[in-house]
Amino acid sequence: MKYFLKVFSIALLCFTIVMGAGVYTYFNFFDDTANANDKRGDHPMRDYTQEEIENLPAFEKAIANSDRLNVLLIGIEAEGRSDTLVFASFDPKTKRIDMISVPRDTQYHEQGYDSADHRKLNAVYIRNLKKGHERAAEKTMEAVEEILGVPIDNYATISYDGVENIVES
């Protein structure tokens, strides 16, 4: 059991460092933040007029006025389930990245999936993958977007096979 915890802790640390470095590198060297609004999704909050934004609650107003780029980092287990979900938000003005972990067991219900193991956030990815959807990661991103109430612009996935190779070498 100690060996498992040690390997798991090292793998999680490596995953967080690699993903953080990857997001940091992408936003600092490869992303054209001047055209950031052209890359945004179709989240309804992005279509508000300035008058509508002024009437929003403070939290929603801050999101609507923000130029932040939001990314969901998804760690995939060998069985195909999403195991680690990290919401990363990059502020192009300050060059700062804020990251929070989204618990995989967060309750998320979709109609027709009523059993306890299907009512978890990590079930969204594997369910759509088994259906043959190529958009399993996008469906997970949409679910997290709905839960957090914050528009997410993109996602990145990483397999734990890669993390395992890092730990064993």
Side-chain angles (χ1 to χ4, degrees), residues 88-109:
S89 183
F90 173 71
D91 186 347
K93 293 176 186 165
T94 63
K95 304 283 188 203
R96 179 179 168 169
I97 296 176
D98 297 306
M99 301 171 82
I100 60 168
S101 176
V102 181
R104 67 185 231 147
D105 292 334
T106 301
Q107 292 293 308
Y108 181 76
H109 182 255

Side-chain angles (χ1 to χ4, degrees), residues 45-46 48 53 56 59-67:
M45 195 173 284
R46 302 228 191 259
Y48 286 166
I53 290 173
L56 291 173
F59 177 70
E60 292 178 14
K61 186 187 297 186
I63 294 169
N65 285 328
S66 175
D67 288 333

